[in-house]
Amino acid sequence: MNANLMMAQGRILLYHETSRLIMMEMAMTTAVREKFSSQAAPEVLAALRQIAESQGRQFQTVLDEALRDYIDRQQKERPRRHVMTSFASSLDEFDSLYRELAK
């Protein structure tokens, strides 16, 4: 695979993940939160806490993101919101690159 192509794909992936995190953080910081009580396997909670700590995020933010991802996967009749938002942003920013890669 061409080094320039690999670099471009890496940049696209990095951009996608960064914009996804930004969009999720923005959505979660403006949302009203509701307390709930439930139970989960200890290893699941430990993994979520470790992810939150390693990313410097709050546990409830990581839990909210995990729940949203689960809901999005279950609602198969439409594309996931963050995917479409990232796709639109990516098209705006990298349109000329995509056109070159398609050649």
Side-chain angles (χ1 to χ4, degrees):
M1 188 179 264
N2 179 323
N4 288 335
L5 179 59
M6 288 176 52
M7 201 161 85
Q9 288 175 334
R11 286 183 182 150
I12 291 168
L13 181 60
L14 178 62
Y15 176 78
H16 168 74
E17 288 302 312
T18 302
S19 38
R20 178 178 180 270
L21 287 173
I22 291 169
M23 292 301 294
M24 293 302 290
E25 285 294 327
M26 285 174 49
M28 287 180 248
T29 56
T30 59
V32 173
R33 298 195 182 270
E34 179 179 334
K35 283 190 172 203
F36 73 98
S37 177
S38 189
Q39 295 181 354
E43 63 273 9
V44 171
L45 294 175
L48 282 174
R49 285 188 183 100
Q50 192 277 325
I51 291 168
E53 184 179 325
S54 71
Q55 295 177 354
R57 300 166 66 200
Q58 293 183 342
F59 173 77
Q60 60 264 28
T61 304
V62 174
L63 176 61
D64 191 70
E65 181 179 335
L67 291 171
R68 287 176 189 273
D69 284 347
Y70 177 80
I71 291 167
D72 284 345
R73 283 193 313 274
Q74 297 303 310
Q75 296 174 338
K76 295 178 182 179
E77 65 274 359
R78 62 178 178 78
R80 294 183 287 177
R81 270 187 326 270
H82 72 273
V83 172
M84 295 309 293
T85 301
S86 294
F87 177 66
S89 296
S90 181
L91 282 178
D92 288 342
E93 185 170 348
F94 297 109
D95 185 57
S96 61
L97 174 64
Y98 293 148
R99 290 179 191 278
E100 289 298 314
L101 289 172
K103 290 181 182 178

